[in-house]
Amino acid sequence: YTPRKRIKYLERTDKMDKSDDWSLILVNSRNPVPSDYSVRLEKVQNNHYVDSRIAAYVNEMIRNAEKDGVKLLICSSYRTVARQQELFDQQVDEYISAGKSYDEALAETATGLALPGFSEHNTGLALDIVTPSYQILDSNFENTEAFRWLDKNAHKYGFILRYPKDKSNITRIKYEPWHYRYVGVEHAAVIKEKGLCLEEYLEELQ
């Protein structure tokens, strides 16, 4: 943005009604996906699907990263609530097998995997992104060229790092350097500049 355009945008967001902006839907442990929510899906990389309204941004981001010598690999995108339930149950079982009680396993799982119906992946607006040379979903992804590229550029395509390292007390999800959420180019620019998580940004818009 030019400074003039940016100032106009910041003035506009102060009066914005976020309820009218589909890209700012808040889904977290306290806000489930609305029961009447529906999404029109479009295929992107490797048979992954996203909300059709963000597909062009996803494809452009992947193409431009590759032009810079960085390979972005989508490993998770839209999920049905039923699929989220399967993943959640699997993780709980793994923790129990490792010696945790059911309650401990449930609590531990919930810090890294949203409850079914409370996951951004159910909206079609979230992506888990890795790179061919590092496909493990852990904090060490931040040491890859792919993460460095995303950290510098993802907001230009409307995406934010949804669960930052220093915001877990707000998001209630542990640091996930691989999880990106579409909020729109203008919103993402402000969120990135101010170092906010989505919950904080929505509070500022109120």
Side-chain angles (χ1 to χ4, degrees):
Y1 309 107
T2 63
R4 181 176 299 174
K5 288 182 179 178
R6 186 56 174 279
I7 289 170
K8 286 182 178 179
Y9 171 67
L10 290 173
E11 291 172 349
R12 185 170 63 85
T13 57
D14 290 339
K15 303 175 182 178
M16 187 181 300
D17 180 1
K18 67 179 184 299
S19 64
D20 291 335
D21 195 335
W22 58 270
S23 67
L24 290 180
I25 182 173
L26 179 63
V27 175
N28 59 22
S29 61
R30 301 171 296 283
N31 295 275
V33 178
S35 59
D36 60 349
Y37 187 86
S38 62
V39 55
R40 180 178 179 181
L41 298 172
E42 185 171 329
K43 185 166 66 174
V44 287
Q45 183 191 63
N46 296 335
N47 291 319
H48 281 283
Y49 286 82
V50 297
D51 186 307
S52 61
R53 293 169 290 191
I54 77 168
Y57 295 96
V58 175
N59 291 329
E60 184 181 14
M61 182 168 68
I62 292 171
R63 282 195 305 269
N64 288 343
E66 193 156 10
K67 289 177 182 177
D68 290 338
V70 175
K71 179 68 173 179
L72 302 181
L73 182 65
I74 299 172
C75 66
S76 187
S77 52
Y78 172 76
R79 299 179 196 146
T80 63
V81 174
R83 177 56 178 160
Q84 188 74 15
Q85 184 73 62
E86 290 176 7
L87 293 172
F88 194 89
D89 291 344
Q90 287 172 11
Q91 186 65 73
V92 169
D93 289 343
E94 287 180 16
Y95 281 128
I96 290 174
S97 297
K100 293 183 182 294
S101 69
Y102 175 76
D103 287 344
E104 290 171 337
L106 197 64
E108 186 71 19
T109 298
T111 66
L113 194 63
L115 286 163
F118 292 77
S119 171
E120 289 194 328
H121 286 287
N122 302 147
T123 68
L125 300 175
L127 295 172
D128 288 345
I129 304 174
V130 290
T131 194
S133 61
Y134 198 91
Q135 300 185 40
I136 304 170
L137 298 182
D138 65 18
S139 60
N140 287 324
F141 177 65
E142 70 177 7
N143 299 317
T144 66
E145 285 297 325
F147 174 78
R148 284 188 281 272
W149 191 94
L150 286 165
D151 186 52
K152 183 179 179 180
N153 296 288
H155 65 283
K156 300 173 185 176
Y157 306 91
F159 286 89
I160 59 169
L161 175 65
R162 181 63 178 92
Y163 305 119
K165 185 179 295 184
D166 60 343
K167 304 292 184 180
S168 296
N169 61 318
I170 301 172
T171 65
R172 299 189 183 183
I173 295 289
K174 64 185 179 182
Y175 175 47
E176 293 190 354
W178 61 87
H179 183 106
Y180 289 82
R181 158 66 194 271
Y182 182 86
V183 295
V185 175
E186 293 180 328
H187 296 300
V190 179
I191 289 171
K192 173 68 173 175
E193 180 181 352
K194 292 188 174 184
L196 304 174
C197 64
L198 182 57
E199 285 85 354
E200 291 173 313
Y201 181 62
L202 293 176
E203 281 291 323
E204 286 201 357
L205 292 184
Q206 288 183 355

